Amino acid sequence: MGFTMGLNLLLLLAMVATNILSLYHLSSTTLHSSSTKPPTPPQVPDHLIRQLQTIRAAINRLTRHQPSNPTSTSSSSSSTIPDDLLLHSRLAPIGSSCHNHPDLLHRYMNYTPFSLCPHDTDLQETLILHGCQPLPRRRCFSRTPPKPSSALPLNPYPSSLPDSNLIWTHYDCKSFSCLNHQNPLLGFDPSRESTSSFMYFRSELDLPVPQLLQIAKAATSLIRLGLDIGGATGSFAARMKLYNITVLTTTMNLGAPYSEAAALRGLVPLHVPLQQRLPVFDGVLDLVRCGHAVNRWIPVTMMEFLFFDVDRVLRAGGYLWLDRFFSKRSDLDKVYGPLIGKLGYKKVKWATADKPNSKNGEVYLTALLQKPVAK
């Protein structure tokens, strides 16, 4: 017992002595530093700073590309980052949103360079809809149908579209006749719309092409080039082609081969989502049409970006045509009407009608708006 108390007393004295020495050292250092100029910290060489920045950027890039659920280290070949993904991160443009979906991106980039590309249409569409555009895959050969027909139609309203010119692997239907049977209004039977599409005035919501061209002629605003946003199989572009007017069609292959069908009609499909910047130079188009794809399901901020991008590509005097835009009537008055009004366009046509069988008070809007010449 006495030995333990003596040991504790010795430890206490040692601790007190240590604290006294520490206070003495600190006080002497403070006095010394007040009388002398503090030393200048050594400068880090520029080349070391650049090397550190390069290392930090590489770490960030690898972190973004790494899948969120990597496999175990025993199967390193499946968890390593594809070389092409890192290569194109440095050399080719990749949508910034690609980095938000590393698992999908990793699956998409697991392919063998200089061989056939995987036929993963569904994966491509999913990535594009998440804003991953342009896609990074570059060095593989696109797949083609085994026995495509060489007798392609020049008329945009052929009697039928050739099934042999498509790869149907990822679609539920395996022929155009199957798609027509499911829904005759999807546009996969061009002959069905050869005499009626965009030609007749049935209600205030309709704007037949002859009337559109007459309006433009009266305003001395010639229509030669146009863009149809969300144009499916290119029905509007096909009608305008008969008037010697070139219209590009943006479309996505959501459950059906819309892009291929448009191309088989001799039309140009642009495989881009609604949130992407339109791949057209500034102020070069005479007309932009927004069909059923542009509606109240689009977030308001994204729709505002879309409308102002339309303004970017339209020339002075060009037209924006909202064809059967639908929303709740209250939202049209309080949200979408003021949003469209921000453009400051002239209202050539503005017609609304109740949407049939709607339980939410939804209405259709057809509007033809002209961009001011002096803006």
Short mmCIF file of all heavy atoms in Angstrom, two decimals, residues 234-278:
data_model
loop_
_atom_site.label_atom_id
_atom_site.label_comp_id
_atom_site.label_asym_id
_atom_site.label_seq_id
_atom_site.Cartn_x
_atom_site.Cartn_y
_atom_site.Cartn_z
N GLY A 234 -41.83 10.98 -88.12
CA GLY A 234 -41.59 12.01 -89.12
C GLY A 234 -42.80 12.38 -89.97
O GLY A 234 -42.64 12.82 -91.11
N SER A 235 -44.00 12.28 -89.43
CA SER A 235 -45.21 12.58 -90.20
C SER A 235 -45.24 14.02 -90.69
O SER A 235 -45.60 14.29 -91.85
CB SER A 235 -46.46 12.29 -89.35
OG SER A 235 -46.51 10.93 -88.98
N PHE A 236 -44.86 14.97 -89.83
CA PHE A 236 -44.87 16.38 -90.25
C PHE A 236 -43.77 16.64 -91.28
O PHE A 236 -44.01 17.34 -92.28
CB PHE A 236 -44.69 17.28 -89.03
CG PHE A 236 -44.63 18.75 -89.37
CD1 PHE A 236 -45.73 19.38 -89.91
CD2 PHE A 236 -43.48 19.47 -89.17
CE1 PHE A 236 -45.69 20.74 -90.23
CE2 PHE A 236 -43.42 20.83 -89.48
CZ PHE A 236 -44.53 21.45 -90.03
N ALA A 237 -42.60 16.08 -91.06
CA ALA A 237 -41.51 16.26 -92.03
C ALA A 237 -41.88 15.67 -93.39
O ALA A 237 -41.51 16.22 -94.43
CB ALA A 237 -40.24 15.61 -91.49
N ALA A 238 -42.60 14.54 -93.38
CA ALA A 238 -43.03 13.93 -94.64
C ALA A 238 -43.96 14.86 -95.40
O ALA A 238 -43.84 15.02 -96.63
CB ALA A 238 -43.70 12.59 -94.36
N ARG A 239 -44.92 15.48 -94.70
CA ARG A 239 -45.84 16.39 -95.37
C ARG A 239 -45.11 17.59 -95.94
O ARG A 239 -45.36 18.03 -97.08
CB ARG A 239 -46.92 16.84 -94.38
CG ARG A 239 -47.95 17.82 -94.95
CD ARG A 239 -48.69 17.21 -96.12
NE ARG A 239 -49.39 15.99 -95.72
CZ ARG A 239 -49.96 15.16 -96.58
NH1 ARG A 239 -49.87 15.39 -97.89
NH2 ARG A 239 -50.58 14.05 -96.15
N MET A 240 -44.18 18.15 -95.18
CA MET A 240 -43.45 19.32 -95.64
C MET A 240 -42.52 18.99 -96.79
O MET A 240 -42.23 19.85 -97.64
CB MET A 240 -42.65 19.93 -94.47
CG MET A 240 -43.51 20.40 -93.31
SD MET A 240 -44.68 21.70 -93.77
CE MET A 240 -43.64 23.15 -93.65
N LYS A 241 -42.06 17.75 -96.85
CA LYS A 241 -41.19 17.34 -97.96
C LYS A 241 -41.90 17.46 -99.30
O LYS A 241 -41.29 17.77 -100.32
CB LYS A 241 -40.69 15.92 -97.74
CG LYS A 241 -39.68 15.43 -98.77
CD LYS A 241 -39.18 14.04 -98.43
CE LYS A 241 -38.14 13.57 -99.45
NZ LYS A 241 -37.63 12.21 -99.13
N LEU A 242 -43.20 17.24 -99.31
CA LEU A 242 -43.98 17.36 -100.54
C LEU A 242 -44.05 18.80 -101.03
O LEU A 242 -44.35 19.05 -102.21
CB LEU A 242 -45.39 16.81 -100.33
CG LEU A 242 -45.50 15.33 -99.95
CD1 LEU A 242 -46.96 14.92 -99.83
CD2 LEU A 242 -44.76 14.45 -100.95
N TYR A 243 -43.77 19.75 -100.13
CA TYR A 243 -43.74 21.18 -100.49
C TYR A 243 -42.29 21.66 -100.68
O TYR A 243 -42.05 22.87 -100.68
CB TYR A 243 -44.44 22.00 -99.42
CG TYR A 243 -45.94 21.79 -99.36
CD1 TYR A 243 -46.46 20.77 -98.59
CD2 TYR A 243 -46.81 22.60 -100.08
CE1 TYR A 243 -47.84 20.55 -98.53
CE2 TYR A 243 -48.18 22.41 -100.02
CZ TYR A 243 -48.69 21.37 -99.25
OH TYR A 243 -50.06 21.16 -99.19
N ASN A 244 -41.37 20.71 -100.80
CA ASN A 244 -39.95 21.04 -100.99
C ASN A 244 -39.38 21.82 -99.81
O ASN A 244 -38.54 22.72 -99.97
CB ASN A 244 -39.73 21.82 -102.30
CG ASN A 244 -38.30 21.75 -102.77
OD1 ASN A 244 -37.58 20.78 -102.51
ND2 ASN A 244 -37.84 22.79 -103.46
N ILE A 245 -39.85 21.48 -98.61
CA ILE A 245 -39.37 22.11 -97.38
C ILE A 245 -38.67 21.04 -96.55
O ILE A 245 -39.22 19.96 -96.33
CB ILE A 245 -40.53 22.73 -96.58
CG1 ILE A 245 -41.18 23.86 -97.39
CG2 ILE A 245 -40.04 23.26 -95.24
CD1 ILE A 245 -42.45 24.41 -96.76
N THR A 246 -37.47 21.33 -96.09
CA THR A 246 -36.67 20.38 -95.31
C THR A 246 -36.95 20.54 -93.83
O THR A 246 -36.77 21.62 -93.27
CB THR A 246 -35.16 20.59 -95.58
OG1 THR A 246 -34.90 20.43 -96.98
CG2 THR A 246 -34.33 19.58 -94.79
N VAL A 247 -37.39 19.45 -93.21
CA VAL A 247 -37.67 19.46 -91.77
C VAL A 247 -36.92 18.30 -91.12
O VAL A 247 -37.07 17.15 -91.54
CB VAL A 247 -39.19 19.33 -91.48
CG1 VAL A 247 -39.44 19.17 -89.99
CG2 VAL A 247 -39.93 20.56 -92.01
N LEU A 248 -36.11 18.60 -90.11
CA LEU A 248 -35.46 17.58 -89.31
C LEU A 248 -36.39 17.16 -88.17
O LEU A 248 -37.18 17.98 -87.68
CB LEU A 248 -34.14 18.10 -88.73
CG LEU A 248 -33.13 18.68 -89.73
CD1 LEU A 248 -31.92 19.22 -88.99
CD2 LEU A 248 -32.72 17.64 -90.75
N THR A 249 -36.26 15.90 -87.74
CA THR A 249 -37.16 15.37 -86.71
C THR A 249 -36.35 14.84 -85.54
O THR A 249 -35.50 13.97 -85.72
CB THR A 249 -38.03 14.24 -87.28
OG1 THR A 249 -38.78 14.72 -88.38
CG2 THR A 249 -38.97 13.71 -86.22
N THR A 250 -36.59 15.38 -84.34
CA THR A 250 -35.97 14.79 -83.15
C THR A 250 -36.88 13.68 -82.65
O THR A 250 -38.10 13.84 -82.58
CB THR A 250 -35.76 15.82 -82.04
OG1 THR A 250 -37.01 16.17 -81.45
CG2 THR A 250 -35.08 17.07 -82.59
N THR A 251 -36.29 12.56 -82.29
CA THR A 251 -37.09 11.42 -81.87
C THR A 251 -36.26 10.49 -80.99
O THR A 251 -35.03 10.54 -81.02
CB THR A 251 -37.63 10.65 -83.10
OG1 THR A 251 -38.52 9.63 -82.67
CG2 THR A 251 -36.49 10.04 -83.90
N MET A 252 -36.95 9.69 -80.21
CA MET A 252 -36.31 8.68 -79.36
C MET A 252 -36.99 7.34 -79.63
O MET A 252 -38.19 7.29 -79.93
CB MET A 252 -36.46 9.05 -77.89
CG MET A 252 -35.73 10.31 -77.47
SD MET A 252 -33.95 10.10 -77.37
CE MET A 252 -33.83 9.00 -75.97
N ASN A 253 -36.22 6.26 -79.52
CA ASN A 253 -36.77 4.92 -79.74
C ASN A 253 -37.29 4.34 -78.43
O ASN A 253 -36.73 3.39 -77.89
CB ASN A 253 -35.69 4.01 -80.33
CG ASN A 253 -35.48 4.26 -81.81
OD1 ASN A 253 -35.86 5.30 -82.33
ND2 ASN A 253 -34.89 3.30 -82.49
N LEU A 254 -38.37 4.90 -77.93
CA LEU A 254 -38.94 4.45 -76.67
C LEU A 254 -39.98 3.35 -76.94
O LEU A 254 -41.16 3.63 -77.19
CB LEU A 254 -39.58 5.63 -75.93
CG LEU A 254 -38.62 6.77 -75.57
CD1 LEU A 254 -39.36 7.91 -74.92
CD2 LEU A 254 -37.51 6.25 -74.68
N GLY A 255 -39.51 2.11 -76.95
CA GLY A 255 -40.40 0.98 -77.13
C GLY A 255 -40.73 0.65 -78.56
O GLY A 255 -41.41 -0.35 -78.83
N ALA A 256 -40.27 1.45 -79.51
CA ALA A 256 -40.57 1.21 -80.92
C ALA A 256 -39.51 1.90 -81.78
O ALA A 256 -38.89 2.88 -81.35
CB ALA A 256 -41.96 1.73 -81.28
N PRO A 257 -39.28 1.45 -83.01
CA PRO A 257 -38.19 1.99 -83.86
C PRO A 257 -38.60 3.26 -84.60
O PRO A 257 -38.70 3.28 -85.83
CB PRO A 257 -37.93 0.83 -84.83
CG PRO A 257 -39.24 0.14 -84.96
CD PRO A 257 -39.92 0.25 -83.61
N TYR A 258 -38.84 4.33 -83.87
CA TYR A 258 -39.26 5.58 -84.49
C TYR A 258 -38.19 6.15 -85.41
O TYR A 258 -38.50 6.63 -86.52
CB TYR A 258 -39.63 6.60 -83.42
CG TYR A 258 -40.84 6.23 -82.60
CD1 TYR A 258 -40.71 5.67 -81.34
CD2 TYR A 258 -42.12 6.43 -83.09
CE1 TYR A 258 -41.83 5.32 -80.59
CE2 TYR A 258 -43.25 6.09 -82.35
CZ TYR A 258 -43.09 5.53 -81.10
OH TYR A 258 -44.19 5.18 -80.37
N SER A 259 -36.94 6.13 -84.96
CA SER A 259 -35.86 6.71 -85.78
C SER A 259 -35.71 5.96 -87.09
O SER A 259 -35.57 6.57 -88.16
CB SER A 259 -34.55 6.68 -84.99
OG SER A 259 -34.63 7.47 -83.82
N GLU A 260 -35.71 4.63 -87.04
CA GLU A 260 -35.55 3.84 -88.25
C GLU A 260 -36.71 4.05 -89.21
O GLU A 260 -36.53 4.13 -90.42
CB GLU A 260 -35.41 2.35 -87.91
CG GLU A 260 -34.15 2.00 -87.14
CD GLU A 260 -34.41 1.93 -85.64
OE1 GLU A 260 -35.17 2.78 -85.14
OE2 GLU A 260 -33.86 1.03 -84.97
N ALA A 261 -37.93 4.15 -88.66
CA ALA A 261 -39.09 4.35 -89.51
C ALA A 261 -39.00 5.69 -90.24
O ALA A 261 -39.32 5.78 -91.44
CB ALA A 261 -40.37 4.28 -88.69
N ALA A 262 -38.59 6.74 -89.54
CA ALA A 262 -38.43 8.04 -90.19
C ALA A 262 -37.38 7.96 -91.30
O ALA A 262 -37.58 8.51 -92.40
CB ALA A 262 -38.06 9.09 -89.16
N ALA A 263 -36.26 7.29 -91.03
CA ALA A 263 -35.21 7.18 -92.03
C ALA A 263 -35.67 6.39 -93.25
O ALA A 263 -35.32 6.71 -94.39
CB ALA A 263 -33.97 6.53 -91.42
N LEU A 264 -36.47 5.35 -93.05
CA LEU A 264 -36.98 4.56 -94.17
C LEU A 264 -37.93 5.38 -95.04
O LEU A 264 -38.15 5.04 -96.22
CB LEU A 264 -37.69 3.31 -93.65
CG LEU A 264 -36.78 2.21 -93.08
CD1 LEU A 264 -37.61 1.09 -92.46
CD2 LEU A 264 -35.86 1.65 -94.16
N ARG A 265 -38.47 6.44 -94.51
CA ARG A 265 -39.32 7.33 -95.30
C ARG A 265 -38.52 8.40 -96.02
O ARG A 265 -39.09 9.30 -96.65
CB ARG A 265 -40.36 7.99 -94.39
CG ARG A 265 -41.24 7.03 -93.64
CD ARG A 265 -42.19 7.71 -92.68
NE ARG A 265 -43.25 8.45 -93.37
CZ ARG A 265 -44.27 9.04 -92.74
NH1 ARG A 265 -44.36 8.96 -91.41
NH2 ARG A 265 -45.18 9.69 -93.42
N GLY A 266 -37.18 8.34 -95.91
CA GLY A 266 -36.34 9.32 -96.56
C GLY A 266 -36.22 10.62 -95.78
O GLY A 266 -35.92 11.67 -96.36
N LEU A 267 -36.43 10.55 -94.46
CA LEU A 267 -36.38 11.72 -93.60
C LEU A 267 -35.19 11.62 -92.64
O LEU A 267 -34.64 10.55 -92.46
CB LEU A 267 -37.69 11.85 -92.81
CG LEU A 267 -38.97 11.75 -93.64
CD1 LEU A 267 -40.19 11.64 -92.75
CD2 LEU A 267 -39.09 12.94 -94.58
N VAL A 268 -34.81 12.74 -92.05
CA VAL A 268 -33.63 12.78 -91.19
C VAL A 268 -34.07 12.76 -89.73
O VAL A 268 -34.63 13.75 -89.23
CB VAL A 268 -32.77 14.02 -91.46
CG1 VAL A 268 -31.54 14.03 -90.55
CG2 VAL A 268 -32.35 14.07 -92.92
N PRO A 269 -33.82 11.65 -89.00
CA PRO A 269 -34.13 11.62 -87.57
C PRO A 269 -32.92 12.05 -86.74
O PRO A 269 -31.80 11.59 -86.97
CB PRO A 269 -34.47 10.14 -87.33
CG PRO A 269 -33.62 9.40 -88.32
CD PRO A 269 -33.43 10.32 -89.51
N LEU A 270 -33.14 12.92 -85.78
CA LEU A 270 -32.09 13.33 -84.84
C LEU A 270 -32.37 12.63 -83.52
O LEU A 270 -33.40 12.87 -82.89
CB LEU A 270 -32.09 14.85 -84.66
CG LEU A 270 -31.83 15.70 -85.90
CD1 LEU A 270 -31.94 17.18 -85.55
CD2 LEU A 270 -30.47 15.39 -86.50
N HIS A 271 -31.43 11.79 -83.08
CA HIS A 271 -31.63 10.98 -81.88
C HIS A 271 -31.20 11.78 -80.66
O HIS A 271 -30.11 11.59 -80.10
CB HIS A 271 -30.82 9.68 -82.01
CG HIS A 271 -31.15 8.67 -80.98
ND1 HIS A 271 -30.24 7.77 -80.49
CD2 HIS A 271 -32.30 8.41 -80.32
CE1 HIS A 271 -30.80 6.99 -79.59
NE2 HIS A 271 -32.06 7.37 -79.46
N VAL A 272 -32.05 12.69 -80.22
CA VAL A 272 -31.71 13.57 -79.09
C VAL A 272 -32.92 13.69 -78.17
O VAL A 272 -34.07 13.67 -78.62
CB VAL A 272 -31.29 14.97 -79.57
CG1 VAL A 272 -30.00 14.91 -80.35
CG2 VAL A 272 -32.38 15.63 -80.40
N PRO A 273 -32.70 13.80 -76.85
CA PRO A 273 -33.80 13.98 -75.90
C PRO A 273 -34.21 15.45 -75.82
O PRO A 273 -33.54 16.34 -76.34
CB PRO A 273 -33.19 13.50 -74.58
CG PRO A 273 -31.73 13.84 -74.72
CD PRO A 273 -31.40 13.67 -76.18
N LEU A 274 -35.31 15.69 -75.13
CA LEU A 274 -35.83 17.04 -75.04
C LEU A 274 -34.91 17.97 -74.25
O LEU A 274 -34.89 19.18 -74.49
CB LEU A 274 -37.22 17.02 -74.37
CG LEU A 274 -38.33 16.33 -75.16
CD1 LEU A 274 -39.60 16.27 -74.32
CD2 LEU A 274 -38.60 17.05 -76.47
N GLN A 275 -34.15 17.42 -73.29
CA GLN A 275 -33.33 18.28 -72.45
C GLN A 275 -32.01 18.66 -73.10
O GLN A 275 -31.26 19.48 -72.56
CB GLN A 275 -33.05 17.61 -71.10
CG GLN A 275 -32.10 16.41 -71.17
CD GLN A 275 -32.85 15.10 -71.29
OE1 GLN A 275 -33.94 15.08 -71.85
NE2 GLN A 275 -32.30 14.03 -70.76
N GLN A 276 -31.71 18.12 -74.27
CA GLN A 276 -30.43 18.43 -74.90
C GLN A 276 -30.53 19.70 -75.74
O GLN A 276 -31.56 19.99 -76.33
CB GLN A 276 -29.97 17.28 -75.79
CG GLN A 276 -28.61 17.54 -76.44
CD GLN A 276 -28.21 16.42 -77.38
OE1 GLN A 276 -28.57 15.29 -77.16
NE2 GLN A 276 -27.47 16.75 -78.43
N ARG A 277 -29.44 20.42 -75.80
CA ARG A 277 -29.35 21.59 -76.67
C ARG A 277 -29.56 21.16 -78.11
O ARG A 277 -28.98 20.18 -78.58
CB ARG A 277 -27.98 22.24 -76.50
CG ARG A 277 -27.78 23.55 -77.27
CD ARG A 277 -26.38 24.08 -76.96
NE ARG A 277 -26.17 25.41 -77.49
CZ ARG A 277 -25.64 25.66 -78.68
NH1 ARG A 277 -25.29 24.67 -79.48
NH2 ARG A 277 -25.46 26.91 -79.08
N LEU A 278 -30.39 21.87 -78.83
CA LEU A 278 -30.70 21.50 -80.20
C LEU A 278 -29.44 21.56 -81.06
O LEU A 278 -28.72 22.58 -81.03
CB LEU A 278 -31.78 22.43 -80.77
CG LEU A 278 -33.13 22.38 -80.05
CD1 LEU A 278 -34.06 23.48 -80.57
CD2 LEU A 278 -33.77 21.01 -80.19
#
